[in-house]
Amino acid sequence: MKNKALSNISVLSLMLTGFVSSVAIKAEDKVTAQPSLSLEHVMADPDWMGNTPQNPYFSDDGKSIYYQQKKQGSPESQVWKLTLADKKLQKVADKDLFTLDQGRGVLSPNGELKAFSSMGDIWIKYLSSGELRQLTRTNDQESQPQFIGNSIVAFRKGFDFYSIDLASGLINQLAQFQLKKDPKDKDEENYLSKQQSRYFDYIQKQQKNRKDSEARKQELLDSSFLDANPAWYLGDKVQIHTLSLSPNGNYILLGTYPKAKQLGKADNMPHFVTEDGYVRNENVRSLVGTYKPRNETLYLLDLKKHKKYPIDVSRLPTIDQDPLADIKRQTAKRYGHEYNPLEGNRGVAVFDWIPNNGVSWTDNSSKVAIMLYSDDNKDRWIASLDTSNQKLNNIHHLHDEAWVNDWDFNDFGWLNDNQTLYYTSEESGYSHLYLSKAGKSSALTKGRYIVNNVRETADGKYLYYRANKKHPGIYEIYRIDLENNRSESVTDLGGMNNFALANDGEQLVVSHSKATKPTELFHISMTEEKTPVKLTNTISNQFKSVGWVEPEFIEVPSSQVDQPIYARLYKPENFDESRADEYPAVIFIHGAGYLQNAHQGWSGYFREFMFHTFLTQQGYVVLDMDYRASKGYGRDWRTAIYRQMGTPEVVDLRDGADWLAKNAHVNREKIGIYGGSYGGFLTFMALFTEPEAFAAGASLRPVTDWAHYNHGYTSNILNTPEVDPEAFERSSPIEFAEGLNKPLLIAHGMVDDNVFFKDTVRLVQRLIELEKTQYFETAIYPIEPHGFKEPSSWLDEYKRIYYLFEEHLK
């Protein structure tokens, strides 16, 4: 089966040349054309490509840019400083890394100081002079610095908050949290304790002395302001989830969960290749449905009065309604058990991802905005809490009968006027930017495009954002003038762009890429001509020398919905649509489900991109599709898979295959498919449920049964197996394995803690019992996790994919 295919590429396999060692290549360097690729070249350690700049940010004075770059032959990174005026590039010495804020510092209200955390300690910088001052030097981890006024810096250590007076050096403990009972809380007296007090004068005397001592201690404390704030005792039945200190240092928003030993039943993963030769077993994540969402209880703590105010969320819209009630009734009827309706309110929790962990205070600390999600992820609320009366007011409620997008579009925060809140929402079907003031909301953007990565300038004049206005696969940078709410374009670079702002709000460092060009940095000044200036050139000569196929960005008509399927099309260099023989073709299926890959920037699937050029050199046409569920195309595209994963996507893949036959001179009987993770899942679903649509497929690190995947991702789309078993049965490849009648390669790493190796093991057993021996092969990788690490593993896997296609598509 494979010897013939091997002979076809044996010459190519010997064409690997030496890799470059430099990561900084001058633009004028001359490159030598390289006629073709080998798989060894494509799947080698990617250092040969050159290592792109990561995490750029401006210096405090806006005159330089810092960024990270992976070191050649090492997993570690080097930090570089690039001076904008003369483009001078220099390494940041290790000793200086301690004094870098990594772009995460906070400015004082008067703009004269910056506070930041580095290596677990707190620093401040005097911006006018550049002088640095270290405030802490401990073995603990101090983090989250913030200013209280212009002369006090607060920070967090564990669950406790402290402040340092910059003038006196006094360290003040603002709040201490104890996860145990308050010692002052007496145990309830029982008969025996009462009897002891009644019988013995000694006991009575001890009790009186203790009471007098406590009273005297309190008298002393009340007579002075010099003692630390008393501790907050939360009890031993909770754990802390949310902690946020107000800008004036007077309040804390606290959120607690009921204490739990484990969040669902953990699964096991054996490691067979170990240093000591013994199998090592690792506990890994729990399965969907075994995780029990925990309701977060919120409090406002008044630090001056030492009072704790419970926050009532019961008035949030629809919190007492069960969006899954109909499905639960149907399941109860199907399985003959009793339907138990929701009692009380659904659980909620504070959104705890970046950029602000679901909490935003006004500068004057009069209000705090909180982003809350329901435990079934059908609802999102942005509510405002008034610190003067502890009243919670709903600002914005977003409901989705499928699931609210908690992976993107969660930007929100108060503007400088302490009254207006900005936020992003998918309520129109696409993520857009809104302002809310005095109970009224207005849209700042609208249209069939998405907005994300919203950033307010320090002076409050502008909101910068990223959007795919021009084309779903092109992301440019824009900004809104908050005086007139008008948007203007900042970049017109094409491809993919992201940005970081300077302190002045008038300079950007843009991370820009195109389909065949990895990310490089550009500088833009809004006060000058706004012309992007390229700052880095990190792509290697060897990478430039390859004749990478420039994909065509096409729109495949959908047979089901009035929206095209955006895709990348790769054709052989000398593509001839009139030649007698039709071309074989491969459809690549990206992973993650909710991910965009047919955009016009550099893909995270860079090995696959290079593999596609290799395939075109071997005479294949390649199609890379953003099937339904993919990112970047609006709410309806995203949620089309609700309760039916693997159904609309396979229709889209079939539409792609039909389009290739009609428009790209492809033999409809010679189209193969491949993909990893979600792409591996869809390879199964396509071969199992549409066995005549594709000639062969390779399924890598695949999900085979959604009941064995994680809770957070799966429960959004399929609910849980107990609530909605029909959705899981409709969506799991193992249910349809009898449909396999075409060649299938299954490849999986054995230490995959994302999609467990047992997914493949269980499906293989099913295929064995179904007597599908002639149709499938399995490749296992004993040391590999979900994303392979070793070049030898990548090479082995993709040789097998190539051999599969060579034998069955040509």
Side-chain angles (χ1 to χ4, degrees), residues 508-521:
L508 299 88
V509 54
V510 177
S511 299
H512 166 72
S513 70
K514 290 196 172 181
T516 61
K517 296 179 180 179
T519 300
E520 299 286 11
L521 300 183

Side-chain angles (χ1 to χ4, degrees), residues 722-741:
E722 292 75 16
V723 168
D724 200 355
E726 185 177 352
F728 283 79
E729 293 165 10
R730 185 188 295 129
S731 304
S732 295
I734 200 167
E735 299 279 351
F736 305 97
E738 66 274 9
L740 179 65
N741 64 12

Side-chain angles (χ1 to χ4, degrees), residues 144 242-243 350-360 371 412:
Q144 299 179 23
T242 301
L243 274 178
V350 176
F351 181 74
D352 57 2
W353 288 5
I354 55 174
N356 52 13
N357 291 326
V359 178
S360 179
M371 183 176 285
F412 81 117

Side-chain angles (χ1 to χ4, degrees), residues 355 409-412 415 422-425 430-435 442-457 461-470 474-482 484-493 495-501 505 507-511 524 526:
F409 319 137
N410 293 294
D411 297 289
F412 81 117
L415 299 183
Y422 72 85
Y423 63 89
T424 50
S425 171
Y430 292 82
S431 171
H432 282 293
L433 181 57
Y434 297 82
L435 293 182
S442 58
L444 295 180
T445 61
K446 59 182 179 180
R448 293 174 66 87
Y449 61 89
I450 64 169
V451 169
N452 61 14
N453 293 16
V454 182
R455 298 293 181 267
E456 182 187 10
T457 56
K461 291 182 179 180
Y462 299 99
L463 288 175
Y464 283 81
Y465 64 92
R466 193 173 77 127
N468 58 351
K469 293 184 183 183
K470 297 193 300 188
I474 299 174
Y475 287 80
E476 301 284 3
I477 313 303
Y478 304 84
R479 75 174 181 179
I480 293 176
D481 186 330
L482 290 171
N484 53 32
N485 291 346
R486 291 179 181 172
S487 276
E488 66 172 318
S489 176
V490 176
T491 64
D492 188 22
L493 290 165
M496 291 287 281
N497 301 284
N498 217 328
F499 69 99
L501 285 173
Q507 294 185 88
L508 299 88
V509 54
V510 177
S511 299
I524 294 177
M526 300 299 292

Side-chain angles (χ1 to χ4, degrees), residues 200-251:
F200 304 109
D201 292 341
Y202 169 77
I203 297 296
Q204 295 176 17
K205 184 178 179 180
Q206 292 293 105
Q207 290 173 339
K208 181 181 182 304
N209 290 344
R210 186 165 60 248
K211 185 176 181 181
D212 289 347
S213 295
E214 291 173 354
R216 178 56 180 158
K217 182 179 180 181
Q218 191 60 49
E219 288 176 359
L220 291 171
L221 293 176
D222 293 342
S223 69
S224 172
F225 62 87
L226 299 178
D227 195 62
N229 293 325
W232 298 87
Y233 289 91
L234 305 180
D236 57 4
K237 292 185 168 63
V238 301
Q239 60 190 72
I240 295 172
H241 177 240
T242 301
L243 274 178
S244 182
L245 178 68
S246 66
N248 64 9
N250 292 340
Y251 303 98

